[in-house]
Amino acid sequence: MSFNLDNITRENVKGLSPYSSARDEYVSDGSTMVFLDANENPFENGVNRYPDPQQRGLKAILAEQKDIEEENILLGNGSDEVLDLLFRAFCEPKEDNIISLPPTYGMYKVLSGINLVENREVLLTNDFQPNVDKILKTIDSNTKLLFICSPNNPTGNSFSTQIIEELLNSFNGLVVIDEAYIDFSSEESWISKLSEHPNLIVTQTLSKAYGMAGIRLGLCMASSEIIAVLNKIKPPYNVNQLTQDKAIERVLDVASVAQEVKDILSEREKLRETLKTVSFVQTIYATDANFILAKVDNANLRYTQLLEKGVVVRNRTTQPLCENTLRFTVGTAEENKSLISALKTLSN
Ligand SMILES: Cc1ncc(COP(=O)(O)O)c(C=O)c1O
């Protein structure tokens, strides 16, 4: 059996007529019109009108930058909203299941709990790669989504291209590649493979490299058929006007984003070198993201000591395969100096 979108879409979603908003029914062609259709306050203040539910201005720019069509993009209130929409479109509560690969981003598990969908966890291998044999054995006819986070949070590494390719070719459900950290990575995005794999979904975000975590903008890129299903169930105005405006401004400022990424990567390498000199740091894991996972002698102790010195890092010690690890986000040169000086004091 091969991938068939109709087979994996929930029955209630297939038959659904989405809410049709005023802004969906009448699309302005730019000519001057009198808008008395949406019960808005007519006095202009920049946000008195509902935003474009399809975010056409922003999507047109993103489509060009990513070399895909607008019909291949859905935007959400952060990629967290996009991930939730995937559960709601494709997973029947109490019946279907998804597969996640811990240690990984915690929201896949939380969203499966919220949506009453079984989360089947298949541990990464000791070198933090997906365990293909175990994943394939875990898949059954009710497995709808496989979440692959690459570069992976919290380990920082990218997954092998061959392994991801194998999973895409052998799974008849949807493979969701979460590329939140792709802009820091030396690997290419999977977006260019969308036309080869009808079951591929790629998610990205403006929260990391683009420095826009506060506006909440996430991207979902997939076949136009998958995007059409998600469009049916998304809240009509899920991306507000301020976010659309700010995102357009930022994504057009290609040079600033590139410079910041460059600075973060060079700071990351400096931090890596310094971590090697800290006596209680035992392993520094390879990273393709804007953070470094490191094994220390006692993560709970070191976490608390750093807090006392005013530096907040992430303690990942309770995550599988991550015992006694701390995750350090790469900050500005000055912030990293604070971290390093705190670590050095504790190291003596
Ligand atoms: C792997 C991964 N995916 C998604 C997100 C959430 O992104 P957003 O801010 O777009 O909701 C995060 C945030 O930490 C993340 O680490």
Side-chain angles (χ1 to χ4, degrees):
M1 198 189 88
S2 61
F3 175 74
N4 181 332
L5 185 61
D6 219 40
N7 287 348
I8 72 152
T9 306
R10 284 172 69 195
E11 281 306 321
N12 64 318
V13 172
K14 279 190 221 168
L16 192 79
S17 311
Y19 173 72
S20 180
S21 70
R23 284 296 159 274
D24 274 319
E25 282 178 12
Y26 180 79
V27 179
S28 170
D29 61 1
S31 53
T32 312
M33 303 292 286
V34 176
F35 284 106
L36 301 176
D37 56 345
N39 300 345
E40 295 152 335
N41 176 330
F43 297 106
E44 287 297 333
N45 62 16
V47 287
N48 59 312
R49 299 286 176 192
Y50 282 101
D52 175 3
Q54 282 303 325
Q55 313 96 19
R56 276 165 296 223
L58 176 55
K59 268 190 201 162
I61 300 165
L62 291 170
E64 197 189 327
Q65 291 184 344
K66 296 183 184 294
D67 199 19
I68 50 177
E69 302 297 322
E70 287 169 50
E71 63 183 22
N72 299 119
I73 307 178
L74 176 121
L75 300 178
N77 184 21
S79 39
D80 285 346
E81 183 188 40
V82 166
L83 299 172
D84 184 50
L85 288 176
L86 296 177
F87 278 88
R88 295 204 282 144
F90 302 111
C91 302
E92 206 57 63
K94 297 189 186 172
E95 197 175 304
D96 288 335
N97 66 75
I98 62 119
I99 294 181
S100 64
L101 313 177
T104 193
Y105 181 48
M107 274 306 274
Y108 315 134
K109 186 177 191 170
V110 172
L111 288 170
S112 51
I114 292 170
N115 288 291
L116 269 181
V117 171
E118 183 194 352
N119 174 32
R120 297 189 174 176
E121 299 189 322
V122 182
L123 271 194
L124 295 178
T125 57
N126 286 333
D127 57 351
F128 296 148
Q129 291 291 328
N131 188 330
V132 178
D133 288 346
K134 280 207 180 137
I135 293 170
L136 296 182
K137 282 193 190 118
T138 305
I139 289 169
D140 67 15
S141 59
N142 286 110
T143 308
K144 298 299 183 68
L145 306 171
L146 165 61
F147 286 98
I148 292 185
C149 185
S150 184
N152 186 39
N153 176 8
T155 58
N157 63 306
S158 290
F159 294 156
S160 130
T161 306
Q162 289 87 330
I163 288 180
I164 296 181
E165 194 88 48
E166 193 178 342
L167 290 168
L168 274 163
N169 289 331
S170 23
F171 177 43
N172 291 322
L174 291 163
V175 176
V176 183
I177 306 187
D178 183 338
E179 291 189 338
Y181 300 97
I182 193 69
D183 305 290
F184 302 106
S185 171
S186 49
E187 299 287 325
E188 260 187 51
S189 165
W190 282 83
I191 294 176
S192 59
K193 299 284 169 101
L194 282 174
S195 50
E196 277 170 48
H197 298 287
N199 60 337
L200 170 61
I201 294 181
V202 178
T203 63
Q204 293 183 356
T205 177
L206 293 203
S207 297
K208 308 295 174 184
Y210 283 81
M212 298 264 117
I215 69 171
R216 313 301 301 128
L217 191 91
L219 292 74
C220 176
M221 289 157 287
S223 71
S224 54
E225 291 80 10
I226 293 174
I227 297 297
V229 172
L230 298 173
N231 264 321
K232 274 180 145 185
I233 65 163
K234 86 171 184 67
Y237 303 115
N238 62 329
V239 180
N240 72 66
Q241 188 66 55
L242 300 175
T243 294
Q244 293 188 37
D245 294 346
K246 196 80 187 163
I248 288 175
E249 208 180 286
R250 184 62 169 166
V251 298
L252 287 175
D253 193 359
V254 178
S256 299
V257 176
Q259 185 59 49
E260 288 175 19
V261 168
K262 207 170 153 212
D263 290 349
I264 290 168
L265 293 182
S266 104
E267 277 301 311
R268 181 184 77 188
E269 290 322 299
K270 274 197 239 164
L271 183 56
R272 218 185 144 69
E273 286 309 307
T274 322
L275 283 174
K276 289 183 187 163
T277 67
V278 176
S279 61
F280 57 81
V281 171
Q282 296 172 351
T283 312
I284 305 163
Y285 295 98
T287 178
D288 217 14
N290 65 333
F291 55 84
I292 299 175
L293 187 77
K295 193 182 271 294
V296 296
D297 55 348
N298 181 335
N300 292 335
L301 171 72
R302 301 305 179 185
Y303 172 79
T304 315
Q305 288 176 329
L306 284 171
L307 263 191
E308 282 162 1
K309 298 198 170 298
V311 182
V312 190
V313 300
R314 195 92 153 114
N315 184 356
R316 297 284 75 188
T317 194
T318 58
Q319 300 296 301
L321 308 178
C322 291
E323 198 185 344
N324 280 322
T325 60
L326 296 176
R327 193 191 67 193
F328 303 101
T329 303
V330 180
T332 61
E334 204 169 320
E335 288 171 332
N336 302 332
K337 269 192 202 130
S338 304
L339 168 66
I340 288 162
S341 111
L343 288 170
K344 286 269 151 98
T345 324
L346 298 174
S347 184
N348 292 328

